[in-house]
Amino acid sequence: QYKHLMEVIYLNADALSDTVNGNNEVVVIDTRSIELFRQSFIPGSLAMLLSTLNKEGALQIIKADAPLVFVCNDAEANAVVSAFAGMGFTNIKGVLHNGFEGWANSRLSYDMIIEVEADEVAMDLPHDDNMLLVDCRVESEFDEQHISGAYSLPPSALGDIALVSALPERANLYLYCNDSVQSTLAASVLKRHG
C-alpha cells in the first residue's frame, strides 16, 4: 500500500481512493500542467502549479494543518513536497505513486473541465438565461475592465466559502482569466465544494 522513498511517502491509487472517499478534510493537490489537469483529474482535487504558487495564495485556499496528498510525476515528488513543507504545510500524507497515470490505470473515476472558446460563449450568451460569467482575475484587473454582468471571483476569494457558495446553484458557470491558471484553480475549488 505505501512505498517510502527518501522523505516522500507514495500511496497507490486504491489507498488514495480509500483515504479521500467521504473525507472532505483531505486535500488532493494536482501540480500537473493546466492542460493535463483540465483533460482529467481526481474528483475534488485542486489545480496548483508550483511555478505560480505562493504561500499567501495557498494559505487562503488550504489550511496549514490540512492533510495533503499530491498528484505529480514521481520525479517531481521531492520538489513538490519540499515546496509545500517550506510554505508551512505540516500534514503532508504523501504523493500518488505514478501520478495521475497510476489513478487512470486503476480505472478509478475522474473529472474534467471543458474549455470553451470566447466566440462560442458570445454566441451562447443571449440564449442561455442561466449563464454566469465568472472573472477569476485579481480585483485590480476586474476593476480596470471586465465583461458586463460578470461576477468577480479573484484568487484571494477562493478560500472564502461563503463567497464561493453565493454563486447561484443552477447557473452555467463560464470562468475566465488571462492565462487559464486562475480560472482552472477556481474551477477546481468550485468543483471541490460542489
Side-chain angles (χ1 to χ4, degrees):
Q1 178 175 343
Y2 294 97
K3 177 180 164 189
H4 188 50
L5 182 63
M6 297 153 94
E7 61 273 322
V8 176
I9 297 172
Y10 288 93
L11 292 87
N12 67 34
D14 291 328
L16 176 56
S17 179
D18 291 345
T19 300
V20 298
N21 192 12
N23 184 351
N24 288 336
E25 296 296 315
V26 176
V27 180
V28 178
I29 298 173
D30 192 322
T31 64
R32 296 176 300 144
S33 73
I34 293 302
E35 293 76 23
L36 288 175
F37 182 87
R38 284 192 313 241
Q39 290 172 12
S40 53
F41 60 92
I42 296 170
S45 62
L46 300 178
M48 293 189 159
L49 295 178
L50 284 185
S51 60
T52 61
L53 191 65
N54 62 57
K55 181 177 181 178
E56 294 76 27
L59 286 170
Q60 288 174 343
I61 299 169
I62 309 165
K63 295 177 185 173
D65 63 347
L68 304 181
V69 176
F70 300 101
V71 178
C72 59
N73 72 47
D74 289 354
E76 297 172 341
N78 282 321
V80 169
V81 168
S82 296
F84 278 84
M87 287 187 284
F89 290 94
T90 58
N91 195 1
I92 296 172
K93 296 298 184 190
V95 174
L96 176 59
H97 184 56
N98 291 327
F100 186 79
E101 187 176 322
W103 185 268
N105 289 341
S106 293
R107 300 177 191 251
L108 295 163
S109 66
Y110 62 89
D111 202 348
M112 64 176 31
I113 296 171
I114 300 169
E115 185 175 16
V116 181
E117 296 296 324
D119 59 343
E120 293 177 64
V121 175
M123 287 188 329
D124 290 345
L125 190 57
H127 309 290
D128 187 347
D129 294 336
N130 292 323
M131 182 183 287
L132 178 60
L133 298 175
V134 181
D135 190 318
C136 301
R137 299 173 303 152
V138 295
E139 291 175 43
S140 61
E141 292 173 320
F142 180 85
D143 291 343
E144 185 178 309
Q145 183 179 21
H146 61 272
I147 299 171
S148 178
Y151 181 88
S152 177
L153 186 63
S156 61
L158 292 175
D160 184 345
I161 301 304
L163 186 60
V164 169
S165 299
L167 291 167
E169 251 184 71
R170 299 203 191 284
N172 297 323
L173 302 178
Y174 288 77
L175 285 66
Y176 69 92
C177 66
N178 293 331
D179 60 7
S180 297
V181 174
Q182 293 163 325
S183 59
T184 302
L185 171 59
S188 68
V189 169
L190 292 171
K191 282 180 168 275
R192 178 173 168 78
H193 293 292

